[in-house]
Amino acid sequence: MEIIVAENCGLCYGVKRALRIAKETRKMKKGKVFTSGDLIHNPRVVSELKNLGIEPVEKLGEIQGGTIIIRSHGVSPEKYRLLTQKKIEIVDATCPIVKKIQKLVERLAKEKEEIILVGNKKHPEIKGLIGYSQKKGIIVENEEQARVLPHKKKRAVLAQSTQDLSLFKKIVAILIEKTKELRIYNTICLSTQTRQRSTSELAAKVDTLFIVGGKNSSNTNKLYYISKSILTNTHFVESAEEIKPEMLKNAKKIGISGGASTPPEAIEEVVFKIKNSLKNQIQRENLIQCQS
Amino acid sequence: MEIIVAENCGLCYGVKRALRIAKETRKMKKGKVFTSGDLIHNPRVVSELKNLGIEPVEKLGEIQGGTIIIRSHGVSPEKYRLLTQKKIEIVDATCPIVKKIQKLVERLAKEKEEIILVGNKKHPEIKGLIGYSQKKGIIVENEEQARVLPHKKKRAVLAQSTQDLSLFKKIVAILIEKTKELRIYNTICLSTQTRQRSTSELAAKVDTLFIVGGKNSSNTNKLYYISKSILTNTHFVESAEEIKPEMLKNAKKIGISGGASTPPEAIEEVVFKIKNSLKNQIQRENLIQCQS
């Protein structure tokens, strides 16, 4: 039996940075400290932050005073304005990569270009980005939505930083037929690209794979779908507790990977649980053999 | 038995225009009239032009006086200079679409951008285009050549006007991973795109398909490969004479398509030959039935 943890998985630079900023802010500020929504898409980490006194707030308009940490996904300019008007102190932990994409969208909008944003319209990063587009942005979530777009002389296309690269390529392939001059900005962050490649390589060489992370995490969900398309025996678990013995039946080579919001402890616990389950299983098998 | 000629096939606008210009020039000029290489990649048409007194010349430096018709594929700026220096009268029949691509390459070269030209390095259009790139152009013929390109912050990519759209898309997909800002110019002419789509649709609904055209025609070769990848029973013939009875064995639904340099008469002759062959075959079958 072999357990292989994906070479590139777990917390990315932007998330680590946001977590560090949040904890430092909590130490420095006396009043209430909020985060714009869950700081990262991982219930376990969010609950730890709550214990420290860092509260996630969905509706920013409801905050009265205190300090708000803008999470790594960033927010729209309107939200910044709203917070400033309410005189709430802002600590900006937007991932520097997302910040760059926001500036790119802002620049393209000034050039009066149509901007296709390949991403999930419900994802906070996309909600933030579209706010910078001055109504020039169109969110495209899948190939079907790309196919119905009209022909254009010029347009630009970019992606949510955690987008699945193969979907981005498929959408670009459709846009090529509909656009004379298409500017492509590959804004998928390197860490996402490496993590996706690492997970798909792992899925190709193991017989069972566990994706560890929050079910509400967009990038972890993408890792799950990438792995599932290669290996049917892929399981998505939020924590070690969700691992059931039947998931490990006949497993000889087990892979583990996690998203940008999966803390290292969550992965370590999964490794521990699997090792333990398999040990018990082997002991039981030995027992049966002895009885016979 | 059914014969279906592809909805969009045969001579394109640029080639028809070049042929018209060549014939008009011949009528108007008293001296020798040349074309820069074969006017179109079809031996039959070239031979007809020779009979009219329009001679193809491969090495432009060898011409002494007279008039030269620049064929639809265009030539490099150096060749224009050479002809001007030699005081040879130039009649430019470069396809207006190719002319636009030449201007685009010239503009991108001025912007000091790396320009990827997806095309065949031996094709006259590409030989002409690369001449406009001021050494900023790189010809990419296949996916392997794209894969070895280094990472770049910015580059532009465009295609030979008769390029296979699916190959162009595959190369773009590779470049997306290697380029932060990729400007794509879909310079594949509409007539080529429509012809390729038409041929692949036809290949999917017939049991035998004939691609009619010059074996030296790049775009006709592409139609052949597109059809062959869908339908094994695809045959590439330059003229009706090349059709052998074994090609029509068991054929119930026959498709016919031709490239941008295939004259309508060549297609008509193929239709005629197939009808005749099958008539004879049917008559023979009837004869055998009568004897039994």
Side-chain angles (χ1 to χ4, degrees):
Chain A
M1 194 264 298
E2 202 181 341
I3 299 176
I4 311 168
V5 177
E7 211 174 319
N8 297 282
C9 73
L11 292 190
C12 72
Y13 158 74
V15 171
K16 277 186 196 160
R17 181 176 169 273
L19 273 170
R20 198 192 64 231
I21 293 174
K23 287 173 186 171
E24 283 170 3
T25 307
R26 179 60 290 180
K27 278 182 198 161
M28 286 163 62
K29 303 288 171 189
K30 281 194 177 147
K32 286 192 170 178
V33 172
F34 305 101
T35 56
S36 55
D38 288 345
L39 188 74
I40 67 172
H41 285 141
N42 190 290
R44 174 202 185 120
V45 180
V46 172
S47 148
E48 281 169 14
L49 291 172
K50 275 184 193 167
N51 290 339
L52 292 175
I54 303 168
E55 278 292 325
V57 179
E58 284 306 329
K59 292 184 177 165
L60 301 187
E62 288 173 2
I63 311 175
Q64 302 296 337
T67 305
I68 187 149
I69 297 146
I70 305 292
R71 63 180 162 186
S72 57
H73 311 108
V75 293
S76 66
E78 295 98 276
K79 290 209 170 154
Y80 272 108
R81 269 194 294 276
L82 174 73
L83 294 166
T84 314
Q85 276 163 8
K86 294 192 81 179
K87 295 192 175 142
I88 293 159
E89 191 175 347
I90 300 171
V91 174
D92 196 349
T94 304
C95 167
I97 295 164
V98 176
K99 204 90 191 165
K100 263 192 176 173
I101 311 178
Q102 289 174 346
K103 281 185 181 153
L104 172 65
V105 173
E106 204 172 18
R107 175 165 68 79
L108 291 171
K110 271 185 196 152
E111 289 171 15
K112 300 197 191 306
E113 203 140 319
E114 180 181 286
I115 311 155
I116 305 294
L117 299 161
V118 181
N120 180 341
K121 66 178 176 190
K122 288 182 184 159
H123 193 278
E125 181 184 324
I126 287 290
K127 282 182 179 173
L129 288 176
I130 197 85
Y132 285 89
S133 78
Q134 290 179 34
K135 295 186 181 156
K136 305 278 185 311
I138 296 170
I139 300 165
V140 168
E141 292 182 300
N142 49 46
E143 292 170 84
E144 288 67 43
Q145 288 175 5
R147 273 193 209 102
V148 297
L149 289 170
H151 277 76
K152 273 242 165 200
K153 263 198 155 180
K154 256 180 131 180
R155 57 165 59 107
V157 56
L158 48 88
Q160 187 178 321
S161 65
T162 53
Q163 187 51 267
D164 171 13
L165 182 63
S166 71
L167 176 65
F168 184 56
K169 285 179 177 181
K170 281 178 197 159
I171 288 172
V172 165
I174 294 167
L175 294 178
I176 289 176
E177 286 192 56
K178 294 171 171 286
T179 324
K180 268 285 164 203
E181 182 184 338
L182 181 66
R183 285 210 233 176
I184 304 180
Y185 298 88
N186 179 2
T187 50
I188 303 174
C189 78
L190 214 59
S191 142
T192 297
Q193 290 187 45
T194 317
R195 198 179 307 112
Q196 287 174 356
R197 205 180 305 124
S198 217
T199 301
S200 59
E201 279 168 12
L202 188 57
K205 64 181 181 191
V206 297
D207 55 47
T208 309
L209 199 144
F210 288 90
I211 300 291
V212 189
K215 296 266 166 76
N216 56 345
S217 155
S218 167
N219 82 83
T220 315
N221 268 287
K222 272 165 206 153
L223 288 186
Y224 173 67
Y225 289 115
I226 288 169
S227 176
K228 191 83 179 171
S229 71
I230 300 163
L231 181 69
T232 323
N233 227 3
T234 299
H235 308 284
F236 192 165
V237 293
E238 268 194 0
S239 69
E241 289 151 31
E242 290 179 23
I243 299 176
K244 300 279 164 279
E246 56 268 29
M247 294 178 180
L248 294 164
K249 213 179 152 186
N250 304 323
K252 296 259 178 303
K253 218 170 179 177
I254 302 160
I256 298 167
S257 187
S261 48
T262 307
E265 308 87 57
I267 290 173
E268 281 159 21
E269 282 168 23
V270 164
V271 174
F272 184 77
K273 171 78 182 264
I274 293 174
K275 275 187 183 165
N276 244 12
S277 301
L278 289 174
K279 203 157 66 186
N280 292 340
Q281 207 170 301
I282 292 160
Q283 278 171 347
R284 246 201 331 276
E285 272 170 24
N286 278 340
L287 198 68
I288 294 166
Q289 279 179 345
C290 290
Q291 284 178 329
S292 69
Chain B
M1 193 264 300
E2 201 181 342
I3 299 175
I4 311 167
V5 177
E7 211 173 317
N8 296 282
C9 72
L11 292 190
C12 71
Y13 158 73
V15 170
K16 276 186 199 162
R17 180 176 170 273
L19 273 170
R20 196 192 66 231
I21 292 174
K23 287 174 186 171
E24 282 171 3
T25 307
R26 180 59 289 178
K27 277 183 198 161
M28 284 163 63
K29 303 287 172 188
K30 281 196 176 147
K32 284 190 171 180
V33 172
F34 305 101
T35 55
S36 56
D38 288 345
L39 187 74
I40 68 171
H41 285 141
N42 189 291
R44 173 203 186 119
V45 179
V46 172
S47 146
E48 282 170 13
L49 291 172
K50 276 184 191 165
N51 290 339
L52 292 175
I54 302 168
E55 278 292 322
V57 180
E58 284 306 328
K59 293 184 176 163
L60 300 187
E62 288 173 1
I63 311 174
Q64 301 296 337
T67 304
I68 187 149
I69 297 147
I70 305 292
R71 62 181 162 185
S72 57
H73 311 108
V75 293
S76 67
E78 296 97 276
K79 290 210 169 152
Y80 272 107
R81 270 195 292 277
L82 175 74
L83 293 166
T84 314
Q85 275 162 10
K86 293 192 82 180
K87 294 190 177 149
I88 293 158
E89 191 174 348
I90 300 171
V91 174
D92 196 349
T94 304
C95 166
I97 294 163
V98 176
K99 204 90 192 167
K100 262 192 178 176
I101 312 178
Q102 290 174 346
K103 282 185 181 155
L104 172 65
V105 173
E106 204 171 18
R107 175 166 68 80
L108 291 171
K110 271 184 196 153
E111 291 170 14
K112 300 199 190 308
E113 203 139 320
E114 182 182 285
I115 311 155
I116 304 293
L117 300 162
V118 181
N120 181 342
K121 67 178 176 191
K122 288 184 183 157
H123 193 277
E125 181 184 325
I126 287 291
K127 282 183 178 171
L129 288 177
I130 197 85
Y132 285 89
S133 79
Q134 290 180 33
K135 295 188 178 151
K136 304 277 185 313
I138 296 171
I139 300 165
V140 168
E141 291 183 300
N142 49 46
E143 291 170 85
E144 288 68 40
Q145 289 175 6
R147 274 194 208 101
V148 297
L149 289 171
H151 276 76
K152 274 242 163 198
K153 262 197 153 181
K154 257 180 127 177
R155 55 165 62 106
V157 56
L158 48 89
Q160 186 178 320
S161 64
T162 53
Q163 188 51 266
D164 171 13
L165 182 63
S166 72
L167 176 64
F168 184 57
K169 285 179 176 182
K170 282 178 195 160
I171 288 173
V172 165
I174 295 168
L175 294 178
I176 289 176
E177 286 194 57
K178 295 173 171 284
T179 325
K180 267 286 165 201
E181 183 184 338
L182 181 66
R183 285 209 233 175
I184 304 180
Y185 298 88
N186 180 1
T187 50
I188 303 174
C189 78
L190 213 59
S191 140
T192 297
Q193 291 186 45
T194 318
R195 198 181 305 113
Q196 288 173 357
R197 205 179 307 125
S198 216
T199 301
S200 58
E201 280 169 10
L202 188 57
K205 65 180 181 192
V206 298
D207 54 47
T208 308
L209 197 145
F210 289 91
I211 299 290
V212 190
K215 296 265 165 78
N216 56 346
S217 155
S218 168
N219 81 82
T220 314
N221 268 287
K222 274 165 206 152
L223 288 186
Y224 173 67
Y225 289 115
I226 288 170
S227 176
K228 191 83 179 171
S229 71
I230 300 164
L231 182 69
T232 324
N233 228 3
T234 298
H235 308 283
F236 191 166
V237 293
E238 268 194 0
S239 67
E241 288 151 33
E242 290 179 24
I243 298 175
K244 301 279 166 277
E246 56 268 29
M247 296 177 180
L248 294 165
K249 214 179 153 188
N250 303 323
K252 298 261 178 299
K253 218 169 178 178
I254 303 161
I256 299 167
S257 187
S261 49
T262 306
E265 307 86 59
I267 290 173
E268 282 159 22
E269 282 168 25
V270 164
V271 174
F272 185 76
K273 172 77 182 269
I274 293 173
K275 276 188 182 165
N276 243 11
S277 299
L278 289 175
K279 202 158 67 186
N280 291 341
Q281 208 170 299
I282 292 160
Q283 278 172 346
R284 244 198 334 274
E285 273 170 23
N286 279 341
L287 198 67
I288 295 167
Q289 280 180 344
C290 291
Q291 284 176 331
S292 70

